Amino acid sequence: MRGKFITLEGMDGAGKSTHIPEIITALESRGFEVVNTREPGGTPLGEGLRRILLHEAMHPETEALLMFAARREHIAQVIEPALARGAYVVSDRFSDASFAYQGGGRGVTAEKLELLESWVHPDLQPDLTLLFDVPVEVSVQRLANARSPDKFEQESVAFFTKIRNAYLSRAAKSPERFRVINSNQPKDRVKQLLLDIVDTL
Ligand SMILES: Nc1ncnc2c1ncn2[C@@H]1O[C@H](COP(=O)(O)OP(=O)(O)OP(=O)(O)O)[C@@H](O)[C@H]1O
Ligand SMILES: [Mg+2]
């Protein structure tokens, strides 16, 4: 039986990495094989592109193309083989992040991103996308406490407001796939919300 593809999305500092181990533990305790991966990255080539993408300035469309190039390799090497053998794939970001960051944030048109999406994964969409949603000020504050910023994290509040809005409008277009998680509440509450959703898979 084919596995399931679960993606985590949301702004920097929204809480994705914090809660991934809990999701994985919950799925493994039910006996599933779980593949924990991330974007950009997930393969040696993808991790190489990640280092460039997170630290070097480039044209917005170059950024979009490299994101989808890394994604093509990720799907071929990791995601599809895992789903085919029945594993659950949990990915920290996937194409919705391109629509939010390169689209909403950098202004690459939806038409171009949809073209890349239909090229790179015409028949694949996540079975479930957990969108971690927090007010921009909260995510900025959390990151300021947590670590030194990468290229994206150095952007302005205006940029992150566009990211958040792009994510929410993408979620509104595919309500059957998305669950929007209010992650502006204590971690224990967020964890419980997530476990309740994962239990239904
Ligand atoms: N519900 C919460 N309440 C308070 N702090 C939180 C909460 N969730 C996460 N944090 C803190 O916010 C910081 C960022 O969280 P995390 O690294 O999980 O975000 P992320 O969504 O993975 O961000 P990025 O996209 O940049 O990787 C961490 O220091 C984490 O401990
Ligand atoms: Mg993270």
Side-chain angles (χ1 to χ4, degrees):
M1 213 176 71
R2 191 173 161 83
K4 286 197 193 312
F5 183 28
I6 302 161
T7 58
L8 284 80
E9 297 284 359
M11 275 188 296
D12 305 81
K16 301 176 295 299
S17 302
T18 301
H19 293 288
I20 279 178
E22 301 157 357
I23 293 171
I24 288 170
T25 302
L27 289 169
E28 284 179 343
S29 73
R30 289 168 54 200
F32 299 119
E33 181 199 351
V34 182
V35 174
N36 179 16
T37 189
R38 69 171 182 180
E39 290 202 353
T43 66
L45 174 69
E47 292 293 329
L49 290 172
R50 179 188 181 94
R51 278 192 292 280
I52 296 170
L53 280 159
L54 265 47
H55 300 289
E56 288 184 26
M58 61 187 75
H59 189 282
E61 291 186 356
T62 308
E63 196 173 273
L65 288 162
L66 289 179
M67 288 286 183
F68 273 97
R71 186 162 297 133
R72 184 69 192 90
E73 198 63 18
H74 192 205
I75 292 166
Q77 283 196 32
V78 177
I79 298 173
E80 272 301 345
L83 293 174
R85 67 173 184 265
Y88 277 56
V89 177
V90 177
S91 186
D92 188 338
R93 300 189 186 280
F94 189 63
S95 288
D96 297 310
S98 293
F99 284 86
Y101 285 74
Q102 284 71 53
R106 305 264 194 239
V108 177
T109 65
E111 289 72 21
K112 285 180 176 166
L113 293 171
E114 283 162 7
L115 204 61
L116 290 172
E117 183 184 37
S118 66
W119 182 7
V120 167
H121 54 100
D123 304 316
L124 176 72
Q125 282 294 342
D127 296 291
L128 170 68
T129 298
L130 300 164
L131 174 55
F132 289 68
D133 185 54
V134 284
V136 172
E137 314 75 58
V138 173
S139 85
V140 168
Q141 191 53 52
R142 283 183 189 171
L143 284 178
N145 297 336
R147 58 176 181 253
S148 60
D150 67 30
K151 183 182 91 183
F152 291 96
E153 291 163 359
Q154 288 167 9
E155 288 284 349
S156 63
V157 167
F159 178 81
F160 284 111
T161 303
K162 289 189 274 187
I163 305 292
R164 184 185 186 197
N165 291 339
Y167 265 133
L168 290 172
S169 76
R170 189 126 170 111
K173 281 189 196 134
S174 302
E176 69 294 341
R177 170 163 76 84
F178 275 90
R179 295 293 301 267
V180 180
I181 310 291
N182 171 15
S183 56
N184 186 23
Q185 47 184 338
K187 290 178 190 174
D188 280 355
R189 293 267 310 140
V190 176
K191 176 182 178 182
Q192 198 50 56
L193 281 173
L194 293 168
L195 294 185
D196 288 347
I197 294 169
V198 168
D199 267 352
T200 66
L201 286 169

